[in-house]
Structure formats: structure tokens, C-alpha cells
Amino acid sequence: MPKVAILGATGYTARELILLLLGHPQAEIVSVTSRQSSAGKIADSHPQLRGRLDLELSHFDLEQLLNLGVDTVFSCLPHAASAEVIRPIVEQGIRVIDFSADYRLDNVDTFEQWYGVTHPDPGQVGSVPYGLPELFRDDIQGAPLVANPGCFPTSVLLPIGPLLKHRLIADSPLIIDSKTGVSGGGRSPKPGFHFVECNESIRAYGIGSHRHAPEINQLLHRYSSVHADVVFTPHLAPMDRGILSTIYCQPQAGSSRQTVLDCLSDFYRDEPFVRIVDTPPATKQVTQTNFCDIAVSESAGFIVVTSVIDNLIKGASGLAVQNFNLMCGFEETTALVS
Amino acid sequence: MPKVAILGATGYTARELILLLLGHPQAEIVSVTSRQSSAGKIADSHPQLRGRLDLELSHFDLEQLLNLGVDTVFSCLPHAASAEVIRPIVEQGIRVIDFSADYRLDNVDTFEQWYGVTHPDPGQVGSVPYGLPELFRDDIQGAPLVANPGCFPTSVLLPIGPLLKHRLIADSPLIIDSKTGVSGGGRSPKPGFHFVECNESIRAYGIGSHRHAPEINQLLHRYSSVHADVVFTPHLAPMDRGILSTIYCQPQAGSSRQTVLDCLSDFYRDEPFVRIVDTPPATKQVTQTNFCDIAVSESAGFIVVTSVIDNLIKGASGLAVQNFNLMCGFEETTALVS
Amino acid sequence: MPKVAILGATGYTARELILLLLGHPQAEIVSVTSRQSSAGKIADSHPQLRGRLDLELSHFDLEQLLNLGVDTVFSCLPHAASAEVIRPIVEQGIRVIDFSADYRLDNVDTFEQWYGVTHPDPGQVGSVPYGLPELFRDDIQGAPLVANPGCFPTSVLLPIGPLLKHRLIADSPLIIDSKTGVSGGGRSPKPGFHFVECNESIRAYGIGSHRHAPEINQLLHRYSSVHADVVFTPHLAPMDRGILSTIYCQPQAGSSRQTVLDCLSDFYRDEPFVRIVDTPPATKQVTQTNFCDIAVSESAGFIVVTSVIDNLIKGASGLAVQNFNLMCGFEETTALVS
Amino acid sequence: MPKVAILGATGYTARELILLLLGHPQAEIVSVTSRQSSAGKIADSHPQLRGRLDLELSHFDLEQLLNLGVDTVFSCLPHAASAEVIRPIVEQGIRVIDFSADYRLDNVDTFEQWYGVTHPDPGQVGSVPYGLPELFRDDIQGAPLVANPGCFPTSVLLPIGPLLKHRLIADSPLIIDSKTGVSGGGRSPKPGFHFVECNESIRAYGIGSHRHAPEINQLLHRYSSVHADVVFTPHLAPMDRGILSTIYCQPQAGSSRQTVLDCLSDFYRDEPFVRIVDTPPATKQVTQTNFCDIAVSESAGFIVVTSVIDNLIKGASGLAVQNFNLMCGFEETTALVS
């Protein structure tokens, strides 16, 4: 049974990952690390885990991971911090799924421009598989290192990737209005995530400057060879979990709501985690699942695609387990659906 | 002191209206009606009003209103039901502010097509002032009947009206992604507004079919003489109150974020209820107020305008009081801001 | 593999039950019924189930259940309606777990007094095992019919049962202040569960008249032989799921917070679903799980016990699966924890 | 017109106070201070105030207040910090309403024991009027310094004070189970108030150790001469505002729900801000108001009193304005109800 370690285990995505892996018949969590923590058990950080996972949080130590026989590492570390530790881990032949943005983009320049840091492992940027199995499954199978996608890009690439590839929609305008629950902002207390500030309120943020915009552009191109320049606006909605992306696209000549719908229905017919639905989906219908539900509507000549995911599952930890399954050659749906 | 009556007084907009009018030094509420209610006091419907307004709910009776000396009626009745009673009221020389959509549109055909009913008072459609003072103040002053705007249109027309009129943005694409709190759906229990269905979830609805789309189109034209055909998508967000409209527009040649910002700043410099702000506004910053806050951003060549209102105040009852003040010749801000 | 049917499958507890049973390696759902529904698929009622359970909703028909080879029925029908169909089912040798209150109480009189209906199957009342394994496991194992407990009683009986039995606390005053999420009120739209009425608000209801009070009293007595007469006040909190019971008890002479804590720690040492914790628990730490977390505090001479459950899991469907496992002789934790 | 200053103006209670005072015809806000702030306008802290109050935040400076002609200071500073600045202010003949706990208790020992600090102005402790007009109006009228009550104590003292004074309920057990919205915890981001931690969850805190317990005990005694030792448990509910206190008391011999109800109805008949209601009140019915709604129920021999307030208005800033009106000799309801 593969032994796995989780780096940066005190956040929300790590907690969801642990809960999923506890139900995985072919994975054993043997190490959980934290950078801040002086000590303490994982259940002290996540009371949900009391009686279910009895591990001390430790500082990252490659030697120790090797001694424990770890063969897969999930890194939930922040960008740059993640790549810094990943390089030596991969060199030791340990499989890595990286939740950070470090290996998602095509080139180091774009990364450094948008993230404002020097990339600690520039050599691999652009050649690491992007862990969205529905679009890049072949690259992921058996790969030693996979870049787990951003939550917003996942909600966008799943519906729009196939439509651009089949030239059913124009590359511009491509307007993406996304709404996310607050867990997407992490677990650190900040004024903007204080209960009384978020609750009973909705607001846009990062207009024209959110780091998931270049990720969407580059991955749409990687998948469809179409250069798009999306208008991407995320919004903070007063809820824990869930992303809804409302995507406005212009049909190409000859295209229509029906051709778009047929394309997606065909493309996702045999995919276990994407459902094409009749009614604009509510985020709640995919909460706590690895599903992405997609509907296609039209309005005043535009195609309006709505897609929902749970940002912590299909947008992070569920997708990571799906990638883990593919990297290890397990059944892709293991621990993700019953 | 003007004596006012409120028709359809058991809903949320009526409650907010009553609370505002209780603070109005020049208005006395003398009658509240309900269609369903067999009897009962207004405070039985709205426990907030206990000890503050001691009136029985009655059935509408024009004779009685005349006997009471009512000189202004606020109609919170549903569409068609509202126009049916309004005609005779106006004929008696009583001022009316109509919350329904009955007198908002330019023509009867559009009304009947979108609302699916025969208009009970077709003769006046198209000639009643649209009660958005910032754009149509002159029409409202002293008018005997005013059509109080829809909540979404208010959040859109305030920022977009001046921009179209000054030809700073193109008439297409004009993409409006709106998010509303659940009070916008009224007070009647329905599956889609059941707490457990709405809470912790967000979803689009009425894509391409929401009745506020033609209202936006026609009023943009009435104000700016520009024919627009907006792509309008409302979303239901898990909160009581508030509307955020995120509006994506293409700048005309020579226009930019700065020219758009300057236009709005100039236009609203002396308006008491519209604030041009630096940061994309949160709905919460205007909750329980008659303000509309507007910010201007840009993203990938598009101008992204965000505007927020409280759907029950600036989107309904506050606006109605503002219209009432103008119709009566009172200070426009009376009972609306301190 | 046991074939199971779910009666009354369109509500929240049924949905949670289905989700749990889909992960149960020894259960196959072969029939789902609804009383209202003319037709439709189960996924039309529960969009979460799309692609996961492809069954038509049917009307209850015992003949059909026999033809399908059903050996276990979960009844999510309302009180009285449930017992009416259960009697013939049990007579056919089919195992039944009843979510209603029909078989929970000691005697028919109390049932009829509190529920205001004639009991359709009075003969069995008082002799059916109460499905709370931690207190009544021996009765449940292999039983043909089990009364699944009420959600509030579960949150109370788990901490208080052992304390009364060991005479560590007085039988009076025993004050139970419970807070529940809105899903406890079912899925039917009602004014009190309309989003805008519940949200941002908390209120007590059913003070002195809630049907779970006699259930708590009778089961405390059944388990501990102590007659208690609890003061029970439920509250509706603005959240989907979760029950927190704050229980105020007077220590018996010689008893203290420590003896109470020791008693519960000993009693629950080997139980898989009850955790004695150090800090007053938040409902969220047991959301979506079958756990009950319990803490013991003291205040001004009183012992204050706080216990949390997910009302839809440990308070309903998870507990039902736990009972199902015991009735069938399966591992008790199957499908409930990983 | 009295000129007022607000110390510690960046928190939630200060914001509510400002909003109320903006509507007060006899008060002009001339100074707002902050300890942290290096600079900035008040509207930068509270975007609600943009266009409504154009003042720079300054550091506290008594000289400056005198130069500005300030005659009333509202101190929203934390305990100890507040008393430190209040002494010299009062000595200058400036009226002070103190939101902190510094002058609420009977004696310095209790203060220092519960607050863990040395009291900076011990001489006045015990002689400052407690600002709950319904119980201590005579002391407040014309007073130079008033201690504004704690939010929980207000919700408890209003219903329980008169009942103890008239000996209708026993002094023990007196069990107070309170539920508060998150704004009660202040505006500083902390893990426990992070949106994702609070939302969809309820928990008890401070059992047996909350500082409002001695305040309740001492003020009950000050008002009724009865020594009570309350069991007080606050809970954090997932909402912005509102306190519900559910209070369990034993009737004295000869007392009943009806005598309790009559007592409260008589006592509060002419009070403008206390309403005795028939149904256990929801916090929402007093949101944004200075009302306290109280209902009386019974359960298993106990009297169950439920009372609701808005913690930021009747529990803080509304009450402060009520005290301000009494201290200045204004109409008590000015700026508080219309």
C-alpha cells in the first residue's frame, strides 16, 4: 500500500485531502507536516480527525520521508515554497502532486510576473503535466510530478476547453464571472474573511489582476491551440464552499446552444465526474463531491455556460486524489465516488 | 401632512416602506391592505412593527381611501393586479407610486409578451414617468403616477445610462451578471427559497428569460437613445438583501477606464444617493441604505463596472420614498438619510 | 447482497441515506417510493444523485417489494403513515428501520396524546428496540424492526443516559437547551423555513410542547430506570445541519465535573462514533459524519454538558445505517467511517 | 448643539453609534479617534460612511477635544484602556458614556479578578450609574459618567430584574443560555471568527468563565437586592447580529407563567423600547432597532423566558444614545425610533 505524506497539512485543502485518503483502500497517510507548528497532533488542527488519524505534525524532512518509505507526497504548501521542496523530493523518485501554482504555467516569465517571486525550480516549468484528467489524462498517467489545477481554472477549462478545441465558440469575448465560497481564501484569519465582513455580502475582487487568468489562458491554449484572452472576474460569496462560473461566449458561425450542448454531452459521456445537466446548476448539488455539473443556456445571442464544482474537492483535493489514482495506475474513481 | 395608504402590505418591500415612512415627518400611514388576509393587524404580519404601527389590514376599498383622505397610494401589488386598481385611484386625483412592472415599459406588446397577461390599463403604458430620479428627475417631479423601477434595472441603469448616453461604451456586447439576495424573490414560501435549498449555494436563474432584461433595454434607450440588447443573467446568492451587478462593456474608441470613471464622477457629483468608489463595492456597504455604490475596473480590454444597492431600499422602497418626495415637492432625501 | 427499499425518498434524510448506502458494499438500493410524486426519477428530486442512482420513484406496493426481493425497508414516512405500511412489511419477514416516531415510545397513550393521531399498529408499541446502539445494542442486533431515534433525543441520550444510570447527576432539574439547523424541519416550504425568515436569526420554538420531550423522558427511564422530567427547549439556528445540545444538570452528592467526565470517557472508550473532547464542540466538527462529540464543563455548581451531532447523519440516516449493520450482522461501522 | 467625540472609532459598535448619531438632531460628531491608525479617514474604515461623515481619524488628545468644544465623549475603547483616559476627561467636565466594563461592577476586586488587570481608576468603581434606563433611569439622568452595559447582561437584566425584585422567581437555579451573533466578538480577525470556522456552526464558549456572569450577578443584586448566582453560557451563532437569551427559572410558591407575564407587562407598559410578546421572539424582529422583545413560556414546571436584542444597538450603541439622551435631558427616544 502506497505510503503518503502531506506537506502543509493544517489548511482546508489538506483536511479534505486527509478525509478522502482515509477512505482510500490503497493509501496510508504516514506523515503530515506544518511549517509554523512547533508541535501538536493533526487532530488539534482539525478536530474532525480526532480518533481517525493519530499523527504528530512535524517539520518537513526529506530524510524522514525516505525512512518512512513514503512514495507519494501531496504538497499543500504556498507557491514558491512548494517548488523549493519538490525538486529534491522528485529527485528521490517520490511521486508528487503539487497543489501550488508552481508548475502549472507554460513559462517561468509569466509565473514570475504574476506571482512576484523568483521561481525556485525553473527548469521543469512548462513540462509538468497539468492535472486535469478530463483534458490531459494521458500526460498524467504514470507521471512522477503533477501540477494540481487552480480551482477557478478547473471550473472554466472543463466546459470551455472542448468548445474552443472544436471551434464552436469565438476566442473573444470570453467573459468569465466566477463566484466562490470563502474557503477558497484559505484558513488564515484576515479582515476580508472575518465572518461579519463576508456574511450577508457579495463582492468582486482581483478584477483584471487575479492569477488564475493567465492560468486559464495558457491552459486553454495548451489544450485547444487557441489563443484566448479571457476577462475573468472572481467574486466572494457568503458560503463555505463551491464555485459557480458563469461564462459568456459568442458562438462561431453555424454554432448554437444545441451544437455546444451536443459537443459537451459527447465529450463527457463516459467521464465519471462531469455531468451535463438541463438546468443551471446550484453549487450545492456538487458540494462534498468530485463532480463538475455544466449547463448550457443562451441569452441575446450569447451562449451562457454555467459550471459548478466544490472548490475544495473537484477544485483541489478530490482532483488531487483523481490524479494520484492515475499516477499510480489505480481505478480513477477510487475514494471519490461510491 | 399627506396621508398614505399601502396596498399589498404583507410583503418585504411593504415592510421596508412602512419602516421608512414611520421616519418621514411629512407622511402618515392611515391604511394598509392585503388581498389574502381575512383580518389581523399589520404587526401580526410584521412583528418588527409591534408598538410602532397599530393598523388593521383591510381589503382594498377606494371609497374608504377617499373617506380617510388618502392623498398618496403605494401599490406593492403584483403586476396586472396593480394596474387594475391604480387606474381608478389616479382618476380620483390620488398620487400613486406603483412597485409593479405595469407602467415601466414603453409599450403594451412588450409587457404582454414578457408578463403573459393582458394589461388592464394599456392606455397609460409608455407615458408614465420611470421613477429613477438620477436619470428622469424632471419627469417625476409633481407627477401623479410613477412607475417604481425594478431592482436589477436600478443597479444597471445608474452606472450604464450615462455611459451609453455619452457614447463611452459600445451598445454590444453589454453583459450584466447580477447577484441578488433572496428577499428579491418575495415572501411566499417556495421550494427554491426554502432555507436549506438556498443556503450555502449560488445559482443562476432565468438566463435569457428574466423580465428585467426588456426593462433594462427599453429604459437604456429611453434615456440614451441607444438601442442595446443586454445579456442579463441574475443569480441567487445566499443572503437576505443586496444586489451586485458586474457589468462588462467594451470601451468606444478613445474611451478608457479613466474616461468612464470621470464621466460617472461628474454625473453623480451632486447626487445624494450615488457614490463613485475606488474599490469594487461589497453589497454590505449599502445594506439598509438608499445608496448605490459604483466602481470602475478594467480587465483584458473590457471595462468592468460593479454596482451595489440594497434591493429592498434603493431597489424598491427607498427609491419609492425618494419618488414620493419628488412628487410631493419635499426635500428629496427626507426619511432616507440622516 | 441485501436489497433495500426506501419509502418516502424525496426528503433530506432519504437523500442522505441514499448517499450513505451507495457507499455500502453490502446493500443495493432497488426501490424508492414517494407518496406525492406522480412519476419522475429520484435524481429529479435530488440532483446530487444524477448519474449515481438511476431509479424511478414509485408508489409503495408491497407486492412489488416482494417481487424485487427486498429484504430491508427504510421508512422515511411521517408518523402514523409509517406504522400503517410497516406492519404488513414486517409480517412478510422484511427487516424495517423506521425513521418515524411510531415505535419509539413506551406506550400508545403517550404517543396518541403527543402526536394527536390514532396509532395504526398499537400492538407493537413499547416492544420495538430503540435504535441507539450505544445504549441498546443488544436489542438491535438481529431485530426485525427498529425504531430509529429522534435527532434531539440522540444528542441528549448519549451523554445523559450513562450519567443518570450511574446516578452521577440528579433527575431534576435537567435542562436541555438544543439548537438545530433548518434541515431538521424537513424539505416542505413553510413560512418559518423561508430563507429570509430563518437567515440571520435564531429563535426558540415548541417550548414545553415539543414531541421529543416525552421521547427523551421515556428512553432515559428505559435505559437508566430513573424518572426524569426534562425541560427541553429546541431552537432554530441559521444553518443547514447540526444539533448542539447544551445540558444543565446538578451533580449528585460526591459527583463533580471530573467524575462525570470519567464516567463518559470510560463508557465511550471503545465506541466508534462517540468522542469525548476537551473543548465545547462546534457542530461543524461533526458535519457529514456519524460522530457525536461530547464535552463536560461546569458553571456555578452545575455540570454543563455539550454534545453535537449532524442531525441528518447521527441524528437520522447514519444512525439508520448503523442499525442496519447491526440488524444484518455486518461490521457496525460499514459505510459510516473510513 | 452638543459636540461629541468617539474614542476607538474603527470597530462595529462605533460604526453603529456614528450611524445613529448622524440621525440625531442634537448631536454633532466632531472627532473620531483610533489607537492603531496612523492616519486615514473614518470612511476608509467604514465604507458605509462615505459621503456622510468626513472626518480624519486622530489619536486621542484631551487638549484637542477641549479646543473643539466637545461636551460628550463616547468611549469604545477596551477595558482598562478606557478608564485610563476617562478620568481626566470627566475631570474637565466632559460627559462620558463608557462602552467598556470598567465602571460596571460593584467593586474593584471583582473587576481585577475577572479582567486580569489593575484598574486604572479604582476610586469611582461602584458609584457610576449603570446605563440601563429601564432599571436605573433616575441614576442616569444628568449623570456626568455612565457605564454602558454589556450586551448579554442587557438581554438578561431586562426580563429578570423585575421578576427577582418582585420575588416571582427563585434566585437559584437561574440558568441563562444565550446565543449571540459574531459581531459581538469584535472586528479583529481571529481564527474563531474566520468565516469558514463560524459559518454553518454553533458552539458554546466561556462556560463558567465569561465576564458577563459577575456583571449579571452584581447588577441583579443592585437592582433587586437578591443574591443570585447565575449559570451563564454564551453561544456563538452563525449570524452577524442579535442576542437571544433563553432563561430558565423556577417560579416561587404562588407564582406561575401568568403572574410572571403580568409582572413584566405591567413593568414595561410605558417603556418605549421593551415589548412583551406572545410568541418566543426571533432575533431578527429586533435587528437594527433599540427594542428588547420578551416572551414568557413554561416547560415542565419551569418558567422559560426568552428575550432578544440587537447586540450592536440595544446591546451597545442604541443603549448608549438612550443614555446620552437621558444625561443631556433630551427626549429619551431621540434618534432611536421614528
Side-chain angles (χ1 to χ4, degrees), chain D residues 5-10 30-42 55-62 64-65 68 77:
Chain D
I6 298 166
L7 313 187
T10 59
V30 298
S31 174
V32 286
T33 79
S34 168
R35 299 189 303 163
Q36 316 91 311
S37 159
S38 58
K41 287 179 173 281
I42 185 71
L55 284 177
E56 293 282 334
L57 283 162
S58 61
H59 286 265
F60 170 71
D61 177 348
L62 181 50
Q64 196 190 19
L65 296 191
L68 286 166
L77 296 172

Short mmCIF file of all heavy atoms in Angstrom, two decimals, chain D residues 5-10 30-42 55-62 64-65 68 77:
data_model
loop_
_atom_site.label_atom_id
_atom_site.label_comp_id
_atom_site.label_asym_id
_atom_site.label_seq_id
_atom_site.Cartn_x
_atom_site.Cartn_y
_atom_site.Cartn_z
N ALA D 5 -17.41 63.38 20.68
CA ALA D 5 -16.23 62.67 20.17
C ALA D 5 -16.42 61.18 20.43
O ALA D 5 -17.04 60.80 21.42
CB ALA D 5 -14.97 63.17 20.87
N ILE D 6 -15.86 60.38 19.53
CA ILE D 6 -15.95 58.93 19.69
C ILE D 6 -14.53 58.37 19.73
O ILE D 6 -13.77 58.54 18.76
CB ILE D 6 -16.76 58.32 18.53
CG1 ILE D 6 -18.18 58.89 18.56
CG2 ILE D 6 -16.76 56.79 18.63
CD1 ILE D 6 -18.98 58.62 17.31
N LEU D 7 -14.21 57.73 20.84
CA LEU D 7 -12.87 57.15 21.00
C LEU D 7 -12.91 55.67 20.60
O LEU D 7 -13.79 54.93 21.04
CB LEU D 7 -12.42 57.27 22.45
CG LEU D 7 -12.60 58.63 23.15
CD1 LEU D 7 -11.93 58.61 24.52
CD2 LEU D 7 -12.05 59.76 22.28
N GLY D 8 -11.95 55.28 19.80
CA GLY D 8 -11.93 53.88 19.35
C GLY D 8 -12.98 53.67 18.28
O GLY D 8 -13.86 52.81 18.41
N ALA D 9 -12.88 54.44 17.21
CA ALA D 9 -13.99 54.58 16.28
C ALA D 9 -13.97 53.59 15.11
O ALA D 9 -14.80 53.68 14.22
CB ALA D 9 -14.03 56.00 15.74
N THR D 10 -13.03 52.65 15.12
CA THR D 10 -12.93 51.79 13.94
C THR D 10 -13.68 50.46 14.08
O THR D 10 -13.69 49.66 13.13
CB THR D 10 -11.45 51.48 13.61
OG1 THR D 10 -10.87 50.84 14.75
CG2 THR D 10 -10.69 52.76 13.29
N VAL D 30 -17.66 65.59 16.12
CA VAL D 30 -16.56 66.47 15.70
C VAL D 30 -15.19 65.80 15.75
O VAL D 30 -14.22 66.34 15.23
CB VAL D 30 -16.52 67.77 16.53
CG1 VAL D 30 -17.81 68.57 16.35
CG2 VAL D 30 -16.29 67.46 18.02
N SER D 31 -15.15 64.63 16.40
CA SER D 31 -13.84 63.98 16.49
C SER D 31 -14.01 62.47 16.60
O SER D 31 -14.90 61.98 17.30
CB SER D 31 -13.07 64.50 17.70
OG SER D 31 -11.86 63.78 17.88
N VAL D 32 -13.17 61.75 15.88
CA VAL D 32 -13.15 60.28 15.97
C VAL D 32 -11.69 59.86 16.13
O VAL D 32 -10.82 60.33 15.41
CB VAL D 32 -13.76 59.62 14.71
CG1 VAL D 32 -15.27 59.78 14.70
CG2 VAL D 32 -13.17 60.19 13.42
N THR D 33 -11.44 59.00 17.11
CA THR D 33 -10.05 58.63 17.35
C THR D 33 -9.83 57.13 17.17
O THR D 33 -10.78 56.33 17.22
CB THR D 33 -9.60 59.01 18.78
OG1 THR D 33 -10.10 58.01 19.70
CG2 THR D 33 -10.11 60.37 19.19
N SER D 34 -8.57 56.81 16.96
CA SER D 34 -8.18 55.41 16.85
C SER D 34 -6.80 55.25 17.44
O SER D 34 -5.97 56.16 17.31
CB SER D 34 -8.18 54.98 15.39
OG SER D 34 -7.55 53.74 15.26
N ARG D 35 -6.54 54.13 18.08
CA ARG D 35 -5.23 53.92 18.67
C ARG D 35 -4.24 53.38 17.64
O ARG D 35 -3.08 53.76 17.61
CB ARG D 35 -5.33 52.98 19.87
CG ARG D 35 -6.25 53.58 20.97
CD ARG D 35 -6.17 52.77 22.23
NE ARG D 35 -6.54 51.37 21.96
CZ ARG D 35 -6.27 50.37 22.77
NH1 ARG D 35 -5.63 50.60 23.89
NH2 ARG D 35 -6.65 49.15 22.47
N GLN D 36 -4.68 52.45 16.82
CA GLN D 36 -3.76 51.85 15.86
C GLN D 36 -3.44 52.78 14.71
O GLN D 36 -2.30 52.99 14.34
CB GLN D 36 -4.35 50.57 15.24
CG GLN D 36 -5.01 49.64 16.22
CD GLN D 36 -6.51 49.93 16.36
OE1 GLN D 36 -6.94 51.09 16.55
NE2 GLN D 36 -7.31 48.90 16.25
N SER D 37 -4.49 53.33 14.17
CA SER D 37 -4.42 54.05 12.90
C SER D 37 -3.31 55.11 12.88
O SER D 37 -3.19 55.95 13.77
CB SER D 37 -5.75 54.73 12.69
OG SER D 37 -5.61 55.79 11.80
N SER D 38 -2.50 55.08 11.86
CA SER D 38 -1.53 56.15 11.66
C SER D 38 -2.25 57.36 11.09
O SER D 38 -1.91 58.49 11.37
CB SER D 38 -0.44 55.69 10.71
OG SER D 38 -1.02 55.30 9.49
N ALA D 39 -3.21 57.10 10.25
CA ALA D 39 -3.93 58.21 9.61
C ALA D 39 -5.15 57.64 8.92
O ALA D 39 -5.55 56.52 9.16
CB ALA D 39 -3.01 58.90 8.62
N GLY D 40 -5.74 58.41 8.09
CA GLY D 40 -6.87 57.91 7.31
C GLY D 40 -8.17 58.52 7.76
O GLY D 40 -8.31 59.02 8.86
N LYS D 41 -9.14 58.44 6.86
CA LYS D 41 -10.45 58.98 7.16
C LYS D 41 -11.33 57.90 7.77
O LYS D 41 -11.11 56.69 7.54
CB LYS D 41 -11.10 59.52 5.88
CG LYS D 41 -10.48 60.82 5.40
CD LYS D 41 -11.15 61.30 4.11
CE LYS D 41 -10.64 62.68 3.72
NZ LYS D 41 -11.28 63.77 4.49
N ILE D 42 -12.33 58.33 8.49
CA ILE D 42 -13.25 57.38 9.10
C ILE D 42 -13.94 56.52 8.03
O ILE D 42 -14.19 55.33 8.24
CB ILE D 42 -14.27 58.11 10.00
CG1 ILE D 42 -15.16 57.13 10.75
CG2 ILE D 42 -15.13 59.09 9.22
CD1 ILE D 42 -14.47 56.38 11.84
N LEU D 55 -14.43 62.91 8.38
CA LEU D 55 -13.51 63.23 9.47
C LEU D 55 -12.27 62.35 9.36
O LEU D 55 -12.36 61.19 8.99
CB LEU D 55 -14.17 62.99 10.83
CG LEU D 55 -15.20 64.00 11.33
CD1 LEU D 55 -15.78 63.52 12.68
CD2 LEU D 55 -14.58 65.39 11.50
N GLU D 56 -11.12 62.93 9.72
CA GLU D 56 -9.90 62.15 9.83
C GLU D 56 -9.87 61.44 11.18
O GLU D 56 -10.26 62.02 12.20
CB GLU D 56 -8.66 63.08 9.78
CG GLU D 56 -8.43 63.78 8.48
CD GLU D 56 -7.80 62.88 7.43
OE1 GLU D 56 -7.10 61.91 7.79
OE2 GLU D 56 -8.04 63.14 6.24
N LEU D 57 -9.39 60.22 11.21
CA LEU D 57 -9.13 59.56 12.48
C LEU D 57 -7.90 60.20 13.10
O LEU D 57 -6.89 60.42 12.41
CB LEU D 57 -8.86 58.07 12.24
CG LEU D 57 -10.09 57.21 11.96
CD1 LEU D 57 -9.68 55.89 11.34
CD2 LEU D 57 -10.87 56.97 13.25
N SER D 58 -7.97 60.51 14.38
CA SER D 58 -6.81 61.08 15.04
C SER D 58 -6.48 60.26 16.28
O SER D 58 -7.26 59.40 16.68
CB SER D 58 -7.11 62.53 15.45
OG SER D 58 -8.20 62.55 16.35
N HIS D 59 -5.31 60.53 16.86
CA HIS D 59 -5.02 59.93 18.14
C HIS D 59 -5.71 60.75 19.23
O HIS D 59 -5.88 61.95 19.08
CB HIS D 59 -3.50 59.89 18.37
CG HIS D 59 -2.84 58.84 17.54
ND1 HIS D 59 -2.58 57.58 17.99
CD2 HIS D 59 -2.43 58.86 16.24
CE1 HIS D 59 -2.02 56.88 17.03
NE2 HIS D 59 -1.91 57.63 15.96
N PHE D 60 -6.05 60.08 20.28
CA PHE D 60 -6.73 60.77 21.38
C PHE D 60 -5.84 61.88 21.94
O PHE D 60 -4.66 61.65 22.20
CB PHE D 60 -7.07 59.78 22.49
CG PHE D 60 -7.54 60.44 23.75
CD1 PHE D 60 -8.79 61.05 23.79
CD2 PHE D 60 -6.73 60.49 24.88
CE1 PHE D 60 -9.23 61.68 24.94
CE2 PHE D 60 -7.16 61.12 26.03
CZ PHE D 60 -8.42 61.71 26.07
N ASP D 61 -6.43 63.04 22.16
CA ASP D 61 -5.69 64.19 22.67
C ASP D 61 -6.70 65.08 23.39
O ASP D 61 -7.52 65.75 22.76
CB ASP D 61 -5.04 64.93 21.49
CG ASP D 61 -4.29 66.19 21.94
OD1 ASP D 61 -4.47 66.62 23.09
OD2 ASP D 61 -3.56 66.75 21.11
N LEU D 62 -6.61 65.06 24.73
CA LEU D 62 -7.62 65.76 25.52
C LEU D 62 -7.65 67.25 25.19
O LEU D 62 -8.72 67.86 25.09
CB LEU D 62 -7.35 65.54 27.02
CG LEU D 62 -8.34 66.19 28.00
CD1 LEU D 62 -9.78 65.88 27.65
CD2 LEU D 62 -8.03 65.72 29.43
N GLN D 64 -7.03 68.67 22.44
CA GLN D 64 -7.74 68.90 21.19
C GLN D 64 -9.26 68.83 21.38
O GLN D 64 -10.01 69.62 20.82
CB GLN D 64 -7.29 67.84 20.18
CG GLN D 64 -7.64 68.18 18.75
CD GLN D 64 -7.38 67.00 17.83
OE1 GLN D 64 -7.28 65.87 18.28
NE2 GLN D 64 -7.28 67.28 16.54
N LEU D 65 -9.71 67.86 22.21
CA LEU D 65 -11.14 67.76 22.46
C LEU D 65 -11.67 69.03 23.10
O LEU D 65 -12.76 69.52 22.76
CB LEU D 65 -11.46 66.56 23.35
CG LEU D 65 -11.13 65.16 22.80
CD1 LEU D 65 -11.74 64.08 23.69
CD2 LEU D 65 -11.62 64.99 21.37
N LEU D 68 -11.92 71.72 20.57
CA LEU D 68 -13.07 71.52 19.67
C LEU D 68 -14.39 71.82 20.37
O LEU D 68 -15.44 71.84 19.73
CB LEU D 68 -13.09 70.09 19.15
CG LEU D 68 -12.04 69.72 18.10
CD1 LEU D 68 -11.96 68.20 17.92
CD2 LEU D 68 -12.39 70.39 16.76
N LEU D 77 -13.31 52.24 23.71
CA LEU D 77 -12.01 51.62 23.95
C LEU D 77 -12.17 50.34 24.76
O LEU D 77 -13.17 50.15 25.45
CB LEU D 77 -11.11 52.60 24.71
CG LEU D 77 -10.77 53.89 23.94
CD1 LEU D 77 -10.05 54.87 24.86
CD2 LEU D 77 -9.90 53.58 22.73
#
